[in-house]
Structure formats: C-alpha cells, structure tokens
Amino acid sequence: MKIRRATVDDLAAITLLEEELFAGDAWSLESVTEEVTGPHRHSFVACADDDTVVGYVVAMQFDEVVDLHRIAVVPTGRRTGVARSLLAAVQQAGSEGGAQRMLLEVSDGNEAALRFYADAGFEEIDRRSHYYRDGTDALVLRLSLAGGGGS
C-alpha cells in the first residue's frame, strides 16, 4: 500500500467509494471535486499494489487549524493500518503548513471511529446535540499536532 496526494485523476474512484461507504450521506462528484481540489485542502489516497484507491482523507487548513472532513477506507482495508497512514499523512501536511491542532466531528454512535480517534490521541472538546440526520450527537475532537501549541 502507498499513500500519495490525491489528484483529479482520483475523483471518480473517491466518488465511487463515497457511494459505497456512505450511501445517502455520500458526497456528489461536485462535492468530491471541491473537497479534493479546493483551496487550503490536504487530500491523500491510499492505493493497493495495483493502484486501486482503497481509502482517502480530506482536510482543510486555515492558519493553525486543520479540519478533518473525511477519512474513509474500504471494508477489507479496515484495521490494517490504512486509516492510520492516511491520518499521519494529513497530520504531517498540516504540521508542515504551520497547523497546531486538528479538529473533527464524529457521531457519538460510531464506536469504531471513536476508538480509532482515541487511539490516535484525539480528545473530546465539545458536543453538538442532534447534529446528524439520524439524531445522534456529534462529538468535536481535537488533536495537538507535533510542534504546535494545540490550544
């Protein structure tokens, strides 16, 4: 597996993964295009040996904050280090861009994601009640980035 920056050549593959993994909450091709190619973005893909996209991460950076928008991995690639590698790539890009902390929102009902983020060192800093369509709350998590103040 290799991690590399996402390009416009990856838009179709990311959109297909969106549809497979997120169904009714999937980003459209237009949204994927904006997320991958828009200003202030850090976007990476994880590719199998045959160059098939098996995961991706998208974040936006403003000054000292990186906002993690999406990290997704095909079911067969879960618990194999793909998500960890994608997160590390976006952390490094943010740190190199001067970011001090990363923020994200995750459903309080997504136990696998909550374990993943806790293992990565994220801490809960806020809760948004009834944030998602299904009525679950969003937890706002923060991670201090290497060399940053993290406040």
Side-chain angles (χ1 to χ4, degrees), residues 36-60:
V36 170
T37 65
H40 313 290
R41 298 309 201 281
H42 299 299
S43 57
F44 295 88
V45 292
C47 297
D49 292 337
D50 65 357
D51 283 331
T52 301
V53 174
V54 297
Y56 58 96
V57 63
V58 177
M60 179 185 286

Side-chain angles (χ1 to χ4, degrees), residues 102-103 117-118 121-126 140-144 150:
M102 183 178 291
L103 300 174
Y117 292 125
F122 283 85
E123 62 182 356
E124 180 180 340
I125 60 168
D126 202 2
V140 180
L141 306 181
R142 176 184 63 205
L143 176 70
S144 295

Side-chain angles (χ1 to χ4, degrees), residues 63-85:
D63 299 323
E64 78 280 355
V65 177
V66 173
D67 188 21
L68 183 64
H69 289 183
R70 185 86 94 199
I71 188 167
V73 176
V74 297
T76 57
R78 293 180 185 157
R79 303 186 66 80
T80 64
V82 175
R84 243 185 341 269
S85 295

Side-chain angles (χ1 to χ4, degrees), residues 97-109:
Q100 298 176 357
R101 64 189 177 277
M102 183 178 291
L103 300 174
L104 64 89
E105 294 154 344
V106 62
S107 170
D108 69 351

